[in-house]
Amino acid sequence: MKISKIWSTMMYLPFFICFVLFWAIPVFYGIYISLHDWSLFGGNGGFVGLENYTTVLSGDNMFSTSFYRGLENTLVFVGFSVIPLVLVSLGLALLVNNIPKKLKVFFRTTFFISYAVSVTAVSAIFKWLFTGNGGYINNVLNTLNIAPLNWLNEQPYAWITILIATVWWTIGYNMILFINALDEVDYNLYEAAGLDGANWWKKFRYVTFPSIKGVFIFVLMTTIIASFNLYGQTLLITAGGPQQSTQSLIMVIQQVVFSQNNLGIGTTMAVIMGVIMMVITGAQYWYAYRKD
């Protein structure tokens, strides 16, 4: 028994060390910095308590204006991206799961391979595709006698471009999670449902979805978190434009810290962002598993 406990401790110890080094310490150190007047190059300027939080949340200065604009833009992206990233990936997983096994590996690899591409490459591809003057999409529209669109410098087309790029880039990861969950569903349940006269929708509603509900909730929460961390696509495709309408909250934090040399305010924004993410994901988790 003693050897077993020692072995168990040794097994989880690497995770615990990484958790402390790369999550717990940065989080608490970030909270500590947010309570101080801290600049990136000048260091700690002294304890200010909740003054940084008051400055960010008050709404009557340039920091709060930038924060609320970035938060609003981020929430817009979360609202528009989470649904297709979850539902389309689930639909693709259902389709791939029902094709012959010899082809399943090919399609799983094909859809997942885009996830291995860096955000820089993805952004370069879609910026070329949707560039207003000479972009591939507008050239196609011209050949069809359709007026070209100013994709990257006009709304809502800028958000549409970023959404398409994000879905293409990351949908394969969610699809693989759903396929793995579908592989674990007991096939006998489908046979029993078929004998009871259930159509494809009833099979999905009463057999498939209850069996993969845990994975569905996990994918939903991780997708919300990932969408909140929007940065690379907007920076490289639209540079936050037009008129800062696609400037995400992380872009605002980056500018406050590195361009305005204010680590205290930037860290405060990051802490508030983290709290908002925890509240949203916590509410989602509670809603999904609440008792009827």
Side-chain angles (χ1 to χ4, degrees):
M1 181 65 69
K2 184 177 180 180
I3 296 177
S4 177
K5 289 183 178 180
I6 294 174
W7 178 249
S8 300
T9 303
M10 294 297 295
M11 291 295 291
Y12 79 76
L13 190 60
F15 167 79
F16 178 76
I17 293 174
C18 291
F19 175 81
V20 171
L21 290 178
F22 300 110
W23 191 89
I25 292 177
V27 166
F28 288 106
Y29 191 54
I31 295 174
Y32 174 79
I33 292 176
S34 71
L35 299 174
H36 291 75
D37 179 18
W38 207 304
S39 66
L40 188 63
F41 303 110
N44 189 356
F47 179 77
V48 295
L50 298 178
E51 182 179 331
N52 288 337
Y53 290 89
T54 303
T55 300
V56 171
L57 297 174
S58 63
D60 58 356
N61 57 78
M62 66 175 184
F63 294 118
S64 61
T65 300
S66 299
F67 173 79
Y68 284 116
R69 181 179 60 245
L71 178 61
E72 180 183 358
N73 293 338
T74 302
L75 290 174
V76 168
F77 178 75
V78 172
F80 282 109
S81 65
V82 169
I83 294 176
L85 283 171
V86 174
L87 296 186
V88 175
S89 61
L90 176 58
L92 288 174
L94 292 170
L95 290 174
V96 173
N97 195 58
N98 285 283
I99 62 177
K101 290 184 178 180
K102 293 182 179 180
L103 296 175
K104 185 181 294 187
V105 175
F106 170 77
F107 282 102
R108 288 177 63 166
T109 305
T110 301
F111 283 112
F112 184 75
I113 198 169
S114 63
Y115 186 72
V117 181
S118 69
V119 65
T120 304
V122 171
S123 300
I125 293 170
F126 280 89
K127 188 170 185 178
W128 168 73
L129 287 172
F130 288 94
T131 295
N133 185 16
Y136 178 78
I137 300 298
N138 277 346
N139 287 339
V140 173
L141 294 177
N142 281 327
T143 61
L144 299 174
N145 295 321
I146 300 175
L149 299 173
N150 195 4
W151 292 99
L152 305 184
N153 298 301
E154 187 177 333
Q155 291 292 15
Y157 307 117
W159 274 129
I160 292 174
T161 302
I162 294 171
L163 177 61
I164 293 173
T166 304
V167 171
W168 180 87
W169 178 35
T170 61
I171 201 170
Y173 176 76
N174 289 347
M175 186 199 72
I176 292 297
L177 293 176
F178 280 129
I179 289 177
N180 292 336
L182 291 171
D183 288 340
E184 298 299 321
V185 180
D186 189 356
Y187 187 75
N188 293 325
L189 297 176
Y190 291 116
E191 292 184 340
L195 293 175
D196 290 336
N199 56 22
W200 69 271
W201 169 246
K202 289 185 177 180
K203 289 180 180 179
F204 173 79
R205 181 178 178 182
Y206 296 109
V207 177
T208 304
F209 187 76
S211 299
I212 66 170
K213 182 179 178 180
V215 174
F216 182 87
I217 299 302
F218 172 80
V219 170
L220 181 61
M221 289 193 294
T222 55
T223 301
I224 291 174
I225 294 172
S227 295
F228 257 102
N229 287 287
L230 173 69
Y231 178 72
Q233 306 96 296
T234 53
L235 178 67
L236 298 172
I237 296 177
T238 63
Q243 298 178 346
Q244 300 179 325
S245 60
T246 60
Q247 187 180 50
S248 66
L249 186 51
I250 291 184
M251 291 179 66
V252 172
I253 295 171
Q254 184 268 338
Q255 290 178 2
V256 169
V257 173
F258 293 100
S259 299
Q260 301 176 26
N261 189 31
N262 199 323
L263 185 60
I265 293 292
T267 305
T268 300
M269 292 181 177
V271 171
I272 297 173
M273 176 182 173
V275 172
I276 294 173
M277 292 170 61
M278 287 190 292
V279 170
I280 293 176
T281 54
Q284 173 63 44
Y285 185 86
W286 172 83
Y287 181 80
Y289 290 104
R290 76 190 192 283
K291 294 182 179 179
D292 296 330

